[in-house]
Amino acid sequence: MHSSCRLVLWLAAAIATAGQAQTQAQTPDVVALPSATLATPSTVDSARLFEDVRTLAAPAFEGRLIGTAGNRQAGLFVQQRFTALGLQPFGSSLAQPFKAPATKRSAAVDGVNFIGFIKGSVRPERMLLISAHYDHLGIVKGKLYAGADDNASGVAAMLAVAAYFKAHRPQHTVVFAAFDGEEGGLRGSKAFLAALPFPQAQLALVLNFDMVSHNDRNEIYVTGTPHAPALVPLVAAAAARHTVQVKLGHDVGKGEENWTHASDHGPFHDAGLPFLYFGVEDHPDYHQPGDTFAHINQPFFAAVANLLVDVAATVDGGVK
Ligand SMILES: [Zn+2]
C-alpha cells in the first residue's frame, strides 16, 4: 500500500531524473499511475482485435503447443496477418525457424518465430521491438488449453500496434516479433536474440505483451521501469490518457512475484536491454482450460489495447 502523496513525490522525482543514465530507481513495489476519468483515445479496431483472439484461441489451433500441427496453423495465421499489415521481412521470409534444444522441462523441438518490421521515417537505424508469444500449452490429458489471455491477447494487441504504425509511420523502425516456445522456457525469444537480424546496439528497447485481456479490476502491470527510469514519464503520459489503471511493479520481488524473467522480455534484460513488460495479475484461468475467449474481459481488453498503442506511439516519439 502506498499513499498518493508518496506516489506524487516519487513520480516527480522519476520525471526529474528522466534522461539520466540511472540504472536503479528507488521504487516502491507497486506504483499506480494516474489514469484519466474521461473517455480515452480510441484508435484500435476492437472487432478485429477480438476476432484475432477468437481465431488464435479456437479449437482448430489445438492450444498452439510448439512443434504441433495446431501451432503451425496458428503460425500461418500470424504470418497472414503480418503480410496483410504490410510488415517487411528480414531476409526472404517473415518465418524464422529455429531448433529449440532440449531442456529440463521440454524435449528438443522445431519452432518458428514470425518477425516483421515497419521502417522508421526519422531514425530508421534505431529500433523498437514489440513482442508477444503465440504458442501455448496445447492439449493436455485430452483437455484443450486455448490460451486466449495467454497469449492470443498479446498477439492481437501487437497486431493492433502494427496496424496503428502502418497508418501513422513511426520515427524509429518498429520490429514485431511473434515468438514461439515461450511456454517451457522462453525458447523463441532466446533463439531470436542469439541470431539477431541486426546489430544489438541498434535495439533501443523491448515492449513485451503477455496476458493483457483478463482482469476484473481494470488493472494492468508494467514491469521493467527500475531498469529504465527514463521511460516512466512516457508511460505516465500515456497512462494519463486512459482509464485503465496502470501499475508499475513486479520488479523487485519484495512481497510480490518478480516478473523480470516471467516472459520473453527476460532474455533481452539479461542481454542488457531496457524493456517494458505489460501483463495482468494471475487469474483463476491462468494456465487452465478455462482460459478461453469467453472468459476474457472484452471492454478491458479493448481499453488495454488502446493504451498499448498509445504507449508504443509515445515511446517512439520520446526515445533516443
Ligand atoms: Zn504467456
Side-chain angles (χ1 to χ4, degrees):
M1 286 290 146
H2 308 285
S3 73
S4 58
C5 188
R6 185 173 161 196
L7 164 63
V8 169
L9 285 174
W10 180 81
L11 263 181
I15 289 165
T17 57
Q20 294 176 14
Q22 284 208 341
T23 53
Q24 282 293 326
Q26 292 298 312
T27 61
D29 289 357
V30 174
V31 172
L33 298 179
S35 56
T37 50
L38 296 171
T40 61
S42 178
T43 55
V44 171
D45 175 350
S46 54
R48 177 79 254 181
L49 186 77
F50 300 149
E51 196 50 38
D52 283 341
V53 174
R54 190 203 301 272
T55 301
L56 283 164
F61 292 162
E62 299 171 345
R64 312 186 302 281
L65 179 68
I66 185 172
T68 64
N71 172 286
R72 279 193 288 281
Q73 291 301 313
L76 286 177
F77 172 74
V78 171
Q79 185 168 17
Q80 283 166 9
R81 292 285 289 118
F82 272 27
T83 301
L85 287 162
L87 303 190
Q88 297 178 55
F90 291 97
S92 59
S93 175
L94 294 162
Q96 303 282 312
F98 64 93
K99 253 232 181 325
T103 67
K104 276 184 208 154
R105 296 157 70 186
S106 41
V109 65
D110 291 312
V112 186
N113 294 328
F114 294 89
I115 314 291
F117 68 90
I118 298 173
K119 194 172 179 184
S121 60
V122 179
R123 300 193 67 197
E125 75 290 351
R126 200 78 175 126
M127 299 186 173
L128 312 178
L129 177 71
I130 301 184
S131 65
H133 75 88
Y134 72 92
D135 71 300
H136 192 55
L137 301 172
I139 296 170
V140 184
K141 294 181 182 162
K143 286 204 169 115
L144 173 69
Y145 285 66
D149 184 47
D150 184 11
N151 183 36
S153 70
V155 175
M158 175 177 70
L159 293 169
V161 174
Y164 176 83
F165 279 136
K166 202 62 202 172
H168 308 83
R169 193 169 172 196
Q171 298 181 31
H172 303 78
T173 293
V174 182
V175 182
F176 298 90
F179 288 132
D180 199 357
E182 189 271 350
E183 308 286 3
L186 316 182
R187 290 170 286 176
S189 50
K190 285 176 182 168
F192 174 71
L193 196 50
L196 270 184
F198 48 80
Q200 187 184 310
Q202 286 180 239
L203 194 48
L205 86 136
V206 176
L207 303 182
N208 183 40
F209 307 158
D210 190 355
M211 298 171 59
V212 294
S213 66
H214 188 158
N215 184 267
D216 296 331
R217 292 186 302 191
N218 197 37
E219 290 175 355
I220 187 97
Y221 279 91
V222 183
T223 296
T225 56
H227 309 292
L231 297 175
V232 171
L234 303 178
V235 175
R241 290 188 283 268
H242 298 263
T243 50
V244 177
Q245 190 70 43
V246 180
K247 295 188 153 188
L248 309 183
H250 283 292
D251 293 296
V252 291
K254 274 189 260 157
E256 59 172 6
E257 246 188 318
N258 185 341
W259 289 351
T260 304
H261 294 93
S263 178
D264 288 316
H265 50 279
F268 295 96
H269 171 67
D270 291 343
L273 289 159
F275 74 91
L276 296 175
Y277 160 60
F278 296 82
V280 295
E281 194 64 81
D282 286 352
H283 48 73
D285 291 322
Y286 170 69
H287 280 200
Q288 296 295 328
D291 184 9
T292 60
F293 178 74
H295 283 191
I296 70 170
N297 306 82
Q298 291 190 13
F300 170 73
F301 180 36
V304 169
N306 278 292
L307 168 76
L308 295 177
V309 167
D310 199 344
V311 167
T314 304
V315 165
D316 177 51
V319 154
K320 295 291 178 277

